[in-house]
Amino acid sequence: MENKDIKAVYFVGAGGIGMSAIARYFIHRGLVVAGYDKTPSDLTRQLEKEGMLIHYEECVDKIPEACKQPASCLVIYTPAIPAEHQELRYFRENGFEIQKRAQVLGTLTRQHKGLCVAGTHGKTTTSTMCAHIMHQSHLDCNAFLGGISKNYGTNYILSASDYVVIEADEFDRSFHWLRPWMSVITATDPDHLDIYGTKEAYLESFRHYTELIQPGGALIIHRDLEMREQLQEGVRRYDYALHEGDFHAENIRIEDGEISFDFISPIECVRGIELGQPVPINIENGIAAMAMAQLAGCTADELREGMRTFGGVDRRFDFKLKNDRIVFLSDYAHHPQEIYQSAKSIRELYRHRKITAIFQPHLYTRTRDFYKDFADALSQLDEVILTEIYPARELPIEGVTSELIYNNLRPGIEKQIIRKEDVLDLVRSRDFDVLIVLGAGDLDNQVPQITEILKNK
């Protein structure tokens, strides 16, 4: 990508949320942008409208001519694509420069000042918040996010700014390609043990990531983490948490679905922050986002305005209906600690109402490793409806089913396991007070229909 002769970019696996953001970056720069994806989706159809050439059949003949020149075409692939994929094999055998999405983002952090957010959970919301604060400030920014920002209807922001906000993903050690100028680390609860093997290896991966922060920059790390960072000379270190740390909140007020607080900072305290997306967990996410934006140079008024107007992220504590009769929301939470935070937040907002969750576990390995933690987290709610496990990239593991979670839910909780196909019928046949759909699988595809059913009751 440093090569000035790049005229075309080809994506093997074009339709993922992260890949599409980079595709848009190159479309915006006027390059020929093409790619393969397995299935058409709203996202791929939108990319085609914006000028990307996409096909859905694994076939070398369908690669456009401009993308068959090794000297002028950069190939970007996602680790989800199998090594024997015939298009990927064609590019490998013919001497093309082939990069993972994460390598491309790494190059961007060398060309811009990278404001990166890493962590097992909270990173999508925190990076999207930071991008929104920066974008509406005098500094502006580019951004590559892991979710669709409701403020912009996209997962990416492009500008002439020197700053780029990036969600730093620890999956497959992708974040080791980055060279952040500043980074937040929100959490290090072990995940992706199918890749890392042990908790120690997972924490070591984060330690190595902190070594990559550039001198002159800063690390903003949550106070309660088990990991030990290792910073280059000239990197400042700050910590944050809800009630303590260099950056924290005071005078938190949660009433009538509204949340406000004072932002305490070693640089400048900012009173009267109002949360545009009033969810308790977003107080802490907001502290981290404001800390990074403030260190980059945003003013008190810009922080206040950015937080007040933040609209949230699709599928992150995403309210679909909110009236006196019914509250319905969907949340991408799929790790026990995320489910715990999500359940805790919804319980704080609706103390005296009956809360029902429909949860689709994601991955056999994750369910096997954490089924007791999932059950503990879900047990904060009044009723839990489980569907079968969403396999994503995995084959079934004998003895690993949703029953592992079901059997460990606290006594007295209402609970059942149903097939995903029966979810809509269940919603039609029941009345709910507060309903949340949880998980990172494909149950979310039914959320629009669930919303309609509940609206029409």
Side-chain angles (χ1 to χ4, degrees):
M1 220 175 97
E2 309 287 0
N3 183 341
K4 295 291 174 279
D5 296 334
I6 295 289
K7 296 184 178 68
V9 186
Y10 191 86
F11 288 79
V12 188
I17 194 89
M19 292 284 269
S20 62
I22 295 178
R24 287 173 162 143
Y25 176 82
F26 289 114
I27 292 168
H28 193 94
R29 292 180 58 177
L31 278 64
V32 174
V33 180
Y36 156 87
D37 206 77
K38 205 155 136 184
T39 44
S41 65
D42 290 346
L43 201 48
T44 59
R45 284 187 278 272
Q46 190 52 46
L47 287 167
E48 289 185 78
K49 275 190 200 142
E50 289 170 32
M52 186 171 182
L53 309 166
I54 306 180
H55 60 265
Y56 302 96
E57 185 192 335
E58 197 178 315
C59 176
V60 171
D61 292 343
K62 299 212 162 175
I63 299 170
E65 214 39 56
C67 300
K68 287 186 166 173
Q69 316 302 320
S72 59
C73 178
L74 171 68
V75 178
I76 301 171
Y77 77 103
T78 163
I81 295 283
E84 64 277 9
H85 190 281
Q86 44 181 287
E87 295 185 17
L88 196 52
R89 215 168 52 213
Y90 164 81
F91 290 122
R92 285 213 167 97
E93 286 166 5
N94 288 283
F96 283 77
E97 185 183 351
I98 302 174
Q99 294 195 359
K100 282 185 192 173
R101 166 181 177 264
Q103 287 171 268
V104 180
L105 291 177
T107 304
L108 292 179
T109 58
R110 291 171 180 79
Q111 295 170 346
H112 301 278
K113 283 183 169 170
L115 305 178
C116 304
V117 182
T120 318
H121 43 83
K123 60 180 172 285
T124 300
T125 300
T126 304
S127 55
T128 308
M129 255 180 195
C130 183
H132 176 60
I133 296 168
M134 292 289 294
H135 185 53
Q136 54 89 57
S137 79
H138 71 287
L139 298 168
D140 204 349
C141 70
N142 300 275
F144 293 90
L145 308 167
I148 301 290
S149 155
K150 292 196 149 194
N151 290 90
Y152 308 108
T154 178
N155 52 331
Y156 121 111
I157 296 170
L158 204 59
S159 77
S161 170
D162 192 27
Y163 293 95
V164 59
V165 177
I166 290 176
E167 177 174 332
D169 191 1
E170 79 279 9
F171 176 72
D172 201 29
R173 298 180 171 80
S174 291
F175 61 170
H176 291 172
W177 294 103
L178 303 175
R179 295 297 177 270
W181 184 57
M182 285 197 243
S183 184
V184 165
I185 298 180
T186 59
T188 53
D189 305 292
D191 194 9
H192 304 303
L193 295 185
D194 52 326
I195 284 166
Y196 285 101
T198 64
K199 178 173 100 168
E200 289 67 34
Y202 188 75
L203 294 174
E204 163 56 29
S205 185
F206 273 90
R207 185 205 61 74
H208 176 62
Y209 170 71
T210 62
E211 287 184 295
L212 306 174
I213 299 170
Q214 297 182 31
L219 170 67
I220 303 143
I221 187 168
H222 195 286
R223 266 189 97 112
D224 303 331
L225 306 193
E226 235 181 293
M227 65 162 288
R228 289 287 157 265
E229 70 278 354
Q230 190 164 347
L231 302 175
Q232 295 188 56
E233 204 171 321
V235 176
R236 293 160 290 161
R237 181 196 188 277
Y238 300 92
D239 61 14
Y240 77 97
L242 190 59
H243 300 295
E244 51 185 9
D246 298 314
F247 297 96
H248 64 271
E250 283 179 4
N251 298 324
I252 298 170
R253 295 170 290 284
I254 303 179
E255 50 198 314
D256 299 330
E258 300 301 315
I259 298 178
S260 62
F261 61 94
D262 296 338
F263 174 58
I264 305 304
S265 153
I267 295 149
E268 181 190 359
C269 296
V270 186
R271 309 284 168 196
I273 297 288
E274 293 168 31
L275 280 189
Q277 198 202 22
V279 181
I281 185 62
N282 278 352
I283 303 172
E284 216 166 46
N285 291 334
I287 290 164
M290 286 190 289
M292 190 148 68
Q294 191 181 50
L295 285 166
C298 288
T299 67
D301 285 342
E302 288 169 346
L303 296 182
R304 221 180 264 114
E305 183 61 12
M307 292 299 288
R308 188 185 66 74
T309 56
F310 175 67
V313 183
D314 268 1
R315 292 183 74 179
R316 301 302 196 284
F317 230 91
D318 191 350
F319 284 94
K320 301 295 181 185
L321 284 175
K322 205 177 186 181
N323 56 43
D324 301 339
R325 190 175 54 78
I326 174 88
V327 174
F328 173 50
L329 64 158
S330 90
D331 193 12
Y332 186 74
H334 56 283
H335 180 280
Q337 196 56 35
E338 291 172 334
I339 302 253
Y340 175 81
Q341 292 293 356
S342 195
K344 181 166 167 270
S345 277
I346 201 160
R347 178 56 78 205
E348 279 179 56
L349 283 173
Y350 301 107
R351 288 182 200 287
H352 307 299
R353 297 177 70 169
K354 180 180 176 183
I355 303 168
T356 301
I358 304 175
F359 175 49
Q360 179 187 38
H362 186 266
L363 297 183
Y364 294 103
T365 49
R366 192 182 276 129
T367 306
R368 178 198 65 200
D369 295 339
F370 300 121
Y371 66 89
K372 284 186 174 156
D373 300 327
F374 277 122
D376 287 348
L378 290 162
S379 289
Q380 297 178 86
L381 305 177
D382 303 298
E383 181 183 19
V384 176
I385 298 161
L386 296 163
T387 71
E388 65 274 28
I389 295 167
Y390 181 74
R393 55 187 179 268
E394 294 183 337
L395 294 170
I397 298 172
E398 199 178 328
V400 178
T401 70
S402 296
E403 275 193 35
L404 289 172
I405 299 171
Y406 179 92
N407 292 335
N408 283 275
L409 289 163
R410 70 171 161 77
I413 198 167
E414 291 177 47
K415 59 182 183 175
Q416 58 177 309
I417 298 177
I418 65 172
R419 297 183 322 148
K420 186 181 69 187
E421 298 79 57
D422 298 332
V423 167
L424 294 178
D425 285 340
L426 176 94
V427 174
R428 281 187 197 99
S429 69
R430 287 271 315 269
D431 285 329
F432 296 98
D433 189 5
V434 177
L435 176 64
I436 181 167
V437 167
L438 290 165
D442 59 358
L443 187 60
D444 189 72
N445 297 342
Q446 298 187 25
V447 164
Q449 291 140 286
I450 295 172
T451 308
E452 279 311 301
I453 294 166
L454 294 173
K455 204 184 278 179
N456 294 327
K457 278 199 170 185

